[in-house]
Amino acid sequence: MQHFEINNRKIKTILADIESGKIAMPEIQRPFVWDSTKVRDLIDSIYKGFPIGYIITSENPDIKTKSGNITRGKTLIIDGQQRLTALRAAVLGEIIVDEHYKKKHIYIAFNPITEKFETQTPAINNSKDWIPDISKILGDDFSTFSFVNDYVGKNPTVDPDKLNQVLGKLQNTIKGHELGCIQLSHVLDVDTVAEIFVRINSKGAQLNQADFAMSKIASRDDKGSDLRKLIDYFAHLVRINSDFNEIAENDKEFADKEFFRKITWLKNETTNLYDPDYADIMRVAFSSQYDRGKLADLVSLLSGRNFEKRTYEEEIVEDTFLRLEKG
């Protein structure tokens, strides 16, 4: 029996669903590892009509609320997050976080005369031929008429009608390109979805139950982001404490919170007898609060699983976050 369905959805629809929260794609739980040339190649492939792979989503289990009502689970991205982050950066102009937790933009430039894409450089930025940032063209408030007049004024040999066609192609192709979406069946239990997550990610950077737990933590809007950052920053600073000021400067909102103050001692930590990773940190925190240490069980509890009744309850989700935070 097939436990998934495949459909194609336009990029603009997927990005809109992420922005509205219909699809849970929290700020990325691991730093963005693509370089700008890979983002450029992705956009170029879309423009040329090439396939760019699939994303895989899963629906969190339906949750029973305190009032007894059933709330439908959010759709969670379990594969394709780097690709979607690249699209959000290039198409929407959103900021990404690099491997040193430094926030930055990735600007993809476009030459409407040659119809070529490049990563932005000072030379491109100062060129009258290039559009330094395609996100400006792809924005909802973009005025084609005003841009064409301005561009042709700087490039008198350019045919305004041809330019208008190219801009229309850029907008319609990038935002209208269809991305393959594999939706896992909602009847699959959390354990099975976690196993699928590990298997489909095994060809790239090795991911595991800890990564899936981090995704679950980060997808909870109210408390998840801060807890995820606490775990992630701790695991990073215990290895590379020279990035302390970088993190504090680039995430000032979190740096003002108690979570961050509890790990400021790491900036002066010099011993390297043992450097725990985020899986170690979660396992210790989890086992200190529960009589169980398997991260698969943590994933289930973060989903609200009642092991005795085999149901999913909001109270268990809330209790798990509180206990994990305490741990």
Side-chain angles (χ1 to χ4, degrees):
M1 179 181 177
Q2 186 167 284
H3 292 295
F4 63 90
E5 62 179 39
I6 303 174
N7 57 70
N8 294 324
R9 301 185 65 201
K10 291 183 178 180
I11 286 175
K12 65 178 181 180
T13 304
I14 296 172
L15 295 182
D17 284 349
I18 292 171
E19 205 164 6
S20 68
K22 188 175 180 180
I23 295 178
M25 183 179 166
E27 93 181 289
I28 192 162
Q29 74 267 25
R30 307 248 57 77
F32 185 64
V33 297
W34 284 20
D35 60 28
S36 56
T37 58
K38 194 168 183 178
V39 179
R40 176 205 63 196
D41 292 345
L42 176 70
I43 298 299
D44 185 60
S45 294
I46 294 171
Y47 190 74
K48 290 176 178 175
F50 297 162
I52 58 170
Y54 289 86
I55 63 168
I56 302 180
T57 64
S58 173
E59 216 171 75
N60 281 339
D62 293 346
I63 292 282
K64 183 178 181 181
T65 65
K66 293 177 182 178
S67 62
N69 296 323
I70 300 296
T71 300
R72 184 155 187 172
K74 273 188 175 182
T75 298
L76 181 69
I77 294 166
I78 67 170
D79 187 49
Q81 192 166 14
Q82 292 278 326
R83 199 177 313 123
L84 289 172
T85 300
L87 287 171
R88 293 169 73 184
V91 175
L92 303 179
E94 292 189 359
I95 296 173
I96 61 97
V97 177
D98 68 14
E99 66 273 17
H100 294 290
Y101 294 89
K102 184 175 183 179
K103 293 181 179 180
K104 66 179 185 180
H105 283 282
I106 292 181
Y107 296 111
I108 303 302
F110 178 68
N111 187 321
I113 300 172
T114 62
E115 297 185 54
K116 300 291 186 183
F117 295 92
E118 280 297 344
T119 58
Q120 190 188 95
T121 64
I124 284 177
N125 209 24
N126 293 323
S127 170
K128 62 182 180 179
D129 296 339
W130 286 84
I131 299 168
D133 178 12
I134 61 169
S135 70
K136 305 299 183 186
I137 307 297
L138 300 174
D140 293 335
D141 57 350
F142 175 71
S143 170
T144 304
F145 179 79
S146 176
F147 179 86
V148 168
N149 283 341
D150 184 59
Y151 191 91
V152 172
K154 296 175 182 176
N155 301 273
T157 59
V158 172
D159 181 350
D161 291 333
K162 171 66 175 174
L163 176 61
N164 197 53
Q165 290 176 6
V166 171
L167 292 175
K169 178 183 175 182
L170 176 68
Q171 294 169 320
N172 295 330
T173 304
I174 302 299
K175 298 173 77 172
H177 188 88
E178 292 191 336
L179 186 60
C181 298
I182 299 175
Q183 172 69 52
L184 300 182
S185 172
H186 70 280
V187 302
L188 293 175
D189 60 35
V190 173
D191 295 336
T192 303
V193 173
E195 182 182 354
I196 292 171
F197 175 87
V198 173
R199 289 188 180 193
I200 61 177
N201 282 288
S202 62
K203 292 182 180 179
Q206 189 68 44
L207 300 183
N208 50 39
Q209 288 280 3
D211 292 281
F212 195 48
M214 287 287 270
S215 292
K216 286 283 187 182
I217 291 169
S219 66
R220 190 167 176 87
D221 300 330
D222 51 353
K223 295 180 179 179
S225 179
D226 284 347
L227 188 55
R228 192 279 300 168
K229 286 181 179 181
L230 175 66
I231 297 166
D232 216 10
Y233 288 158
F234 186 102
H236 182 77
L237 289 172
V238 79
R239 292 180 298 107
I240 312 174
N241 63 358
S242 58
D243 283 343
F244 180 87
N245 290 333
E246 197 80 67
I247 291 173
E249 179 63 28
N250 287 291
D251 198 351
K252 292 180 179 179
E253 184 179 351
F254 184 76
D256 287 336
K257 295 183 178 180
E258 182 64 20
F259 269 162
F260 192 70
R261 287 192 284 273
K262 286 182 178 292
I263 61 172
T264 55
W265 60 273
L266 284 170
K267 65 182 176 181
N268 299 316
E269 173 62 24
T270 57
T271 60
N272 56 8
L273 178 64
Y274 169 59
D275 292 340
D277 61 19
Y278 56 94
D280 298 325
I281 296 164
M282 277 192 290
R283 189 174 287 108
V284 171
F286 177 48
S287 60
S288 73
Q289 299 298 309
Y290 290 85
D291 291 330
R292 49 178 89 223
K294 288 172 57 180
L295 288 177
D297 290 341
L298 173 59
V299 169
S300 294
L301 289 166
L302 288 168
S303 302
R305 185 174 185 174
N306 184 319
F307 288 94
E308 294 179 359
K309 297 180 180 178
R310 297 189 178 185
T311 57
Y312 292 90
E313 302 166 13
E314 177 63 25
E315 288 181 83
I316 293 177
V317 177
E318 293 179 0
D319 181 66
T320 303
F321 269 88
L322 287 172
R323 291 171 72 173
L324 185 62
E325 180 181 323
K326 181 182 177 183

